[in-house]
Every structure is written in C-alpha cells, then in structure tokens.
Amino acid sequence: MKSKALDFRQIEWWIVTSATLIAFLFILFGYRPQFYNDSDFAIFKFASRLVILAALYGAFHLIHMVLIPKFQSQSKKWPSILWIFGIGLITFAICALFGYQAELVKTPFPAFFLGILVLYACYLIGSHLFTQALTPPKIRDYQLYNISRLILGYLFTLFFLIQVEPISSQGPAILFGVFIPVIMIASLYNFFLVYGKRKKGKIKQSRFFNWGLVAVLLLVFLIISVEENQEEIFFIGGLGTVAFIQLIFFPLTSLVFKKYDSFVGQIHNLSFQVDQGNANFDFLRSQINPHFLFNALNTLYASALMENAEKTSDGIQKLGDMMRFMLHENQQPRIPLSREIDYLRNYLDLQLLRFGSQTNLDLDIQINEGSCQGEIAPMLIIPFVENAFKHGISSKEKSWIRLNLRCISGSVHLDLVNSIHPEKPQSEKSREESGIGLDNVKKRLELLYPGQHQLSLIANDSDFFVHLSVQFAHS
C-alpha cells in the first residue's frame, strides 16, 4: 500500500464490472416480463434496458482497458482517438434509439449518456491530477495516493449508477451508496475496536465496544419505534440487526481477519527467513579474514625458526580449531556458549603471537565464563574483538585493548575498549582486510535477538567503546 501504486486500471475494471452486474440483476429480477401475459412492448422495454446497459459496459471496457492504454503507449495517437470517437458515437446511437423507442427517456437525446460521458472525463482528469500531486517524489510514499484513487473510483461508480437509474432502478445506487459504506464502517469497527482489542489481549475493552454498539443500535431502534408507534420496528429491525451483527457479521469478518493475520504472519516469517539467509550469506562470505590467516601462518613459520616445535604445533592446533569452528559449528543456528568462548580464546592467543612483543601495546583480557552455561548464535562476539585488533593497534603509537567478558543472570556481557588511530601509516592500511562487518552483526542481532540484546557503540578522539549484552538460551 505504501511502497508502490496499486494497479488501478484492473481495480477500476473490477469495480465497474461488479456495479454493472448488480444493475443487470436488478433489471432481471425487477423488470422481468411474463412472456405469456405481457405485451410485446413490455418485452421490448425489458430487452432495451439490457441492451443499453450492455452497450455502456462494452464501451467502457473497450475504451478504458484497450484504447486508452494504446493511446498512452503508441506514438501515433490518431487511430486510438478515432476508435474512441467511433465507439462513443455507436454507444450514443444505441442509447438514443432503444431509450426513446422503449420510452425509457422522454426525448431522443439520452441525457444520462451525456452525464456518464462528463463523469468519465472528470474521473480521468482527477486520476491524472492525483498521479501528479500525490506520488513520490512530491510526497513520501504511495499510501495517500492509493487511498485517494480508491475513493475516487468508488465515487465514480456510485455516480455512474445514479446516471443509469432510468435504465435499471435506484436499487444499485442505494446498494453502493448506503449498504456498502455501512458494511465497510462496521468491518473497520470490528477490526480496530472489537477484534483488534481482543487480539491485543484487551478483553474488557473489546467487550465494551461490542456491547456498546449493541446498546446504541437498540436505543436508536427503540426511539424510532416509539416515534412511529410501531413496536415491530424495535423487535424486527432492532433485534434483527443486533442478531445479524453478533451471530453472522462479526464472526464472519473476524474469521476473515484471522485468515488475513495468518497470511501476513506467514509473509513476515518468510521475509525474516530471507533476511536471515541474506545476513548469514553475507556473513559466510566475510567470516574468514584471509589476511589474518596469512599473518598467523607467517608468525607460526617465524616461531618455528626461532623456538622449538612445541609452540609451533600449539599455534597450528589453535588455528585448526578455529577453522573447524568456522566451517562446521558456525553453520548451526545455536552453539554452546563455551564453544564461542573457546574460539575467542584461540583468536586472542594467535593475536598475541602477532603483537605480544610490541612494547607500545597494552592488553588487558578478562574472561570469566563461570556462569556461561547456555547456547547462543555463533560469531556474535568475535567481530567486535576482531575490529578492536584491526583498528586499535598501531606499530608506532601507543595502543591498548581492554576486554571484559562475563555472564550474569542468563546474559553474556562484553565490554571492549580499544585505542583509535585515525591516521595510520599507509603500509599498515594496506595490510588490513575487512573481517566480519559490524553492520552485518547488528543486523543478525536484530533478526535473532529482537528485544533480547543491547548494543552500544561509542567513539571519541582516542577510544572506541563497545558494550554488548545478549540473553542466551539455557542448556
């Protein structure tokens, strides 16, 4: 409703088709002659009503659904204009001939045809003005435009039925002008005040609006029956209306609303799954930092030359555990929180191999996993730590990283502070490759833990602060 304009050409066709069908039914049941008893003129008059209504509908279909789209799409406009003019003349001749001969109009000129023609022209002009004034970029979205066009289409159909009253009757216009708005208002009343309140768990308010409507209707019919001095107005009209609303209308519309909510819920779930799949796909594409692995392997090679094989094998084992984690456990929706922390420890140990000898680096790592017994989505903590090492360490300037990880009352809490070096040497910038983007992590948190996480990112001239808390599922 907001993101794009509705297909109003199809909507207009369906509205006019429905209105014409109703008018046909009123003619068939209201003017149907008794072929054995009525005169030939009565039969001709009945047939003339059907012919005129069919001619008007046929002209609308050809002009509105075929010729106007051709006029708008083709470079040569004259053929479409001539066809429109020709169909208009033929329709006018049919309305004039059958209307006058069947005594449906008093003069050979059918005034109702002129009224329909002017009405249709006004509708086209109004639709064009709405398109120019109520669509983006002049306004934010299409909601006002769609609502305005729907109201305009309804009014056009109502006035069209008023114009064809000499052909059909007042019944279709009354149906469109009175009963349909009443049904729409009653449906909206149920959707927002009765069914809507009950769906939100506000049972008392739902009952108040439901029985309040019953009381108002009974009071109105009681006043009318007293003024008219006819008790049947209250007993038949009032009680009948209340019974219809309570036993048929509200239950039926509530069932429709439930189906609608179920359909919207399925769409929401599918959208959630698609968004989650896209986020996971982006995550998988960026989860392994190739440059980090390259540096780690180089560091391990240097260690093998300078030290004994035990340290080298230990580093290789940690790297292998990390790669197994990313390739296997990382694909699961939930993993033990202890495994996430193991991955974090392996990552920190390998980074210490890289930067542990830097005298200008101050590292303060505190991990308290005593109460971390539960499950969590994988790779929610490491991106912030990776970001701290990627942006918080400089080979020439004083740098610091302070990490505190703990679990409290079913939530894991991460507080992380790292130094900021806005003007790193170009040689250091060239070595940095993007790891798991923080935007991707934010999106995953919103999808996986709505209302169950807190994330604060604060930056100043020298520090970048991260606070993350996530409620995890107890194992």
Side-chain angles (χ1 to χ4, degrees), residues 39-97:
S39 62
D40 293 339
F41 180 76
I43 297 174
F44 174 73
K45 190 172 184 178
F46 169 74
S48 298
R49 295 177 188 274
L50 297 177
V51 170
I52 292 174
L53 192 59
L56 290 172
Y57 177 75
F60 166 79
H61 176 80
L62 290 175
I63 293 174
H64 193 74
M65 302 301 295
V66 179
L67 295 176
I68 289 182
K70 283 187 177 181
F71 175 83
Q72 294 173 340
S73 61
Q74 293 180 350
S75 57
K76 294 183 179 180
K77 309 295 185 181
W78 285 107
S80 299
I81 294 175
L82 291 176
W83 273 106
I84 293 173
F85 185 73
I87 291 174
L89 284 179
I90 295 173
T91 308
F92 172 80
I94 293 174
C95 293
L97 177 62

Side-chain angles (χ1 to χ4, degrees), residues 287-304:
Q287 64 182 338
I288 300 176
N289 188 331
H291 196 77
F292 162 70
L293 295 178
F294 178 78
N295 283 343
L297 290 174
N298 280 345
T299 303
L300 293 174
Y301 176 75
S303 298

Side-chain angles (χ1 to χ4, degrees), residues 215-287:
V216 170
L217 289 175
L218 291 177
L219 179 62
V220 170
F221 278 97
L222 178 62
I223 294 174
I224 296 174
S225 66
V226 171
E227 291 181 350
E228 298 293 332
N229 197 22
Q230 295 181 4
E231 296 178 355
E232 58 269 19
I233 293 178
F234 175 78
F235 288 104
I236 298 176
L239 295 179
T241 301
V242 168
F244 172 77
I245 290 176
Q246 294 297 318
L247 299 178
I248 298 177
F249 185 78
F250 273 7
L252 183 61
T253 53
S254 296
L255 179 62
V256 174
F257 297 151
K258 288 180 181 178
K259 294 294 184 182
Y260 172 77
D261 289 338
S262 176
F263 179 72
V264 171
Q266 291 177 5
I267 293 178
H268 177 74
N269 289 335
L270 290 174
S271 300
F272 173 82
Q273 292 175 10
V274 170
D275 290 340
Q276 183 177 352
N278 290 336
N280 288 335
F281 179 71
D282 293 338
F283 166 74
L284 291 173
R285 289 194 307 177
S286 62
Q287 64 182 338

Side-chain angles (χ1 to χ4, degrees), residues 181-406:
V182 169
I183 290 173
M184 290 296 299
I185 292 172
S187 300
L188 293 174
Y189 186 93
N190 183 27
F191 182 76
F192 288 106
L193 300 179
V194 181
Y195 170 82
K197 297 293 184 182
R198 186 167 63 249
K199 185 178 69 172
K200 295 178 181 178
K202 301 177 181 178
I203 306 299
K204 292 184 178 180
Q205 294 185 21
S206 174
R207 291 174 179 172
F208 171 79
F209 286 110
N210 185 26
W211 296 113
L213 177 63
V214 170
V216 170
L217 289 175
L218 291 177
L219 179 62
V220 170
F221 278 97
L222 178 62
I223 294 174
I224 296 174
S225 66
V226 171
E227 291 181 350
E228 298 293 332
N229 197 22
Q230 295 181 4
E231 296 178 355
E232 58 269 19
I233 293 178
F234 175 78
F235 288 104
I236 298 176
L239 295 179
T241 301
V242 168
F244 172 77
I245 290 176
Q246 294 297 318
L247 299 178
I248 298 177
F249 185 78
F250 273 7
L252 183 61
T253 53
S254 296
L255 179 62
V256 174
F257 297 151
K258 288 180 181 178
K259 294 294 184 182
Y260 172 77
D261 289 338
S262 176
F263 179 72
V264 171
Q266 291 177 5
I267 293 178
H268 177 74
N269 289 335
L270 290 174
S271 300
F272 173 82
Q273 292 175 10
V274 170
D275 290 340
Q276 183 177 352
N278 290 336
N280 288 335
F281 179 71
D282 293 338
F283 166 74
L284 291 173
R285 289 194 307 177
S286 62
Q287 64 182 338
I288 300 176
N289 188 331
H291 196 77
F292 162 70
L293 295 178
F294 178 78
N295 283 343
L297 290 174
N298 280 345
T299 303
L300 293 174
Y301 176 75
S303 298
L305 296 179
M306 298 172 57
E307 302 176 355
N308 56 44
E310 182 179 353
K311 185 175 182 179
T312 304
S313 62
D314 182 62
I316 294 175
Q317 183 180 8
K318 293 180 183 297
L319 182 59
D321 289 341
M322 293 178 64
M323 295 184 68
R324 278 192 296 272
F325 178 91
M326 288 187 288
L327 293 176
H328 299 290
E329 294 178 76
N330 189 31
Q331 314 302 319
Q332 302 176 14
R334 295 284 190 277
I335 62 170
L337 183 55
S338 58
R339 287 295 297 142
E340 179 86 358
I341 296 176
D342 288 342
Y343 180 89
L344 175 62
R345 288 185 182 278
N346 288 334
Y347 179 87
L348 291 172
D349 289 342
L350 288 177
Q351 291 289 17
L352 287 175
L353 285 175
R354 291 180 61 192
F355 302 109
S357 60
Q358 285 190 205
T359 57
N360 64 326
L361 175 60
D362 179 15
L363 291 177
D364 182 9
I365 308 297
Q366 298 182 25
I367 299 178
N368 184 359
E369 54 182 314
S371 302
C372 298
Q373 303 297 323
E375 292 185 340
I376 194 172
M379 299 297 285
L380 291 180
I381 298 174
I382 192 65
F384 302 101
V385 181
E386 182 184 15
N387 186 74
F389 276 93
K390 186 171 69 174
H391 297 290
I393 297 178
S394 172
S395 60
K396 297 182 179 179
E397 301 179 18
K398 181 174 178 56
S399 306
W400 58 88
I401 296 177
R402 300 181 181 92
L403 184 150
N404 188 317
L405 181 71
R406 62 204 181 279

Side-chain angles (χ1 to χ4, degrees), residues 119-137:
L119 180 64
Y120 184 64
C122 292
Y123 176 78
L124 293 179
I125 294 173
S127 300
H128 178 73
L129 293 177
F130 282 163
T131 303
Q132 296 298 317
L134 300 179
T135 55

